[in-house]
Amino acid sequence: GAGVSQSPSNKVTEKGKDVELRCDPISGHTALYWYRQSLGQGLEFLIYFQGNSAPDKSGLPSDRFSAERTGGSVSTLTIQRTQQEDSAVYLCASRPDWGGQFFGPGTRLTVL
Amino acid sequence: GESVGLHLPTLSVQEGDNSIINCAYSNSASDYFIWYKQESGKGPQFIIDIRSNMDKRQGQRVTVLLNKTVKHLSLQIAATQPGDSAVYFCAESGTQAGTALIFGKGTTLSVSS
């Protein structure tokens, strides 16, 4: 596809379970970002990957959150031992060497 | 920390009117700014961007103005249509590809027929 895709679109889980969210960026984009958006709020930066450099994890809210980017393309955001406050829409974006970030549709995570 | 904010959380206009959405940013070192449109249940959609070496940039029905003196950014939408109804976010960053965007909370634009 031409845009950023994310899966699943919706995820409902129980408190304490682990979840994995997937992002397929636009082909050829060198940078990949994860953001979190709570209801009615702006976007909160979580982590980004740029080429082969070490990721910038400065936005991760706790050590329960981690992310990987394999082969410079697909990325997985993992949340361990989910809590109710983790409920949000998780957005992935990719960016070419220069220009704006292009966002996927997001994964809506609900922790019961 | 540094943040980007918007002056008004909501803006209501009539179809055909021109809309102006404002944004104030605090990081004077930011040199790249973007406006995004987010419709319900969707990810943010890129509208228009501007670098700090410019003060105005035009797209199709949209214009972004940048005033670095007062650290103010605005998005003008000409002949607003019902399909323009959405939440609009401004975002700032550095020009380097690896810089994350800092978003404001958004302005909800409602267009009535």
Side-chain angles (χ1 to χ4, degrees):
Chain A
V4 178
S5 60
Q6 292 186 244
S7 60
S9 55
N10 282 283
K11 177 69 176 180
V12 180
T13 191
E14 294 179 346
K15 178 181 174 181
K17 300 283 189 181
D18 297 351
V19 294
E20 286 189 351
L21 312 179
R22 177 187 169 105
C23 172
D24 286 84
I26 295 173
S27 178
H29 281 194
T30 56
L32 185 148
Y33 304 77
W34 283 98
Y35 294 86
R36 179 169 70 175
Q37 186 175 32
S38 299
L39 186 64
Q41 300 297 310
L43 278 73
E44 174 191 4
F45 166 72
L46 297 177
I47 186 172
Y48 88 79
F49 300 86
Q50 173 63 47
N52 295 321
S53 302
D56 178 349
K57 305 178 182 181
S58 60
L60 295 178
S62 78
D63 58 7
R64 296 186 295 104
F65 288 72
S66 63
E68 292 184 340
R69 188 180 186 191
T70 55
S73 180
V74 173
S75 178
T76 301
L77 176 69
T78 301
I79 308 173
Q80 296 177 310
R81 305 181 301 282
T82 53
Q83 304 294 312
Q84 289 183 330
E85 60 263 30
D86 299 335
S87 296
V89 176
Y90 288 82
L91 289 155
C92 174
S94 68
R95 182 180 183 183
D97 288 341
W98 165 255
Q101 297 179 13
F102 293 84
F103 285 82
T107 293
R108 181 175 297 278
L109 175 65
T110 303
V111 182
L112 302 176
Chain B
E2 303 289 1
S3 64
V4 175
L6 292 166
H7 294 301
L8 292 174
T10 61
L11 176 65
S12 297
V13 301
Q14 292 286 324
E15 181 178 3
D17 287 351
N18 295 331
S19 303
I20 300 176
I21 301 173
N22 295 305
C23 174
Y25 65 95
S26 58
N27 186 353
S28 57
S30 292
D31 50 11
Y32 181 57
F33 304 88
I34 309 173
W35 280 100
Y36 284 93
K37 171 186 179 182
Q38 187 174 28
E39 296 174 288
S40 180
K42 298 182 179 180
Q45 175 188 359
F46 177 95
I47 301 175
I48 191 167
D49 60 358
I50 188 168
R51 298 190 203 185
S52 60
N53 61 351
M54 304 171 66
D55 54 20
K56 180 179 180 179
R57 190 162 186 226
Q58 289 184 297
Q60 186 176 13
R61 284 203 304 119
V62 295
T63 300
V64 55
L65 299 177
L66 175 63
N67 185 330
K68 295 180 289 294
T69 302
V70 295
K71 291 185 286 187
H72 183 268
L73 192 68
S74 69
L75 176 70
Q76 299 178 358
I77 305 174
T80 314
Q81 302 169 0
D84 295 327
S85 295
V87 179
Y88 289 80
F89 295 94
C90 66
E92 61 174 314
S93 82
T95 51
Q96 292 181 347
T99 306
L101 293 170
I102 302 173
F103 285 81
K105 293 190 184 301
T107 291
T108 299
L109 175 65
S110 298
V111 183
S112 53
S113 301

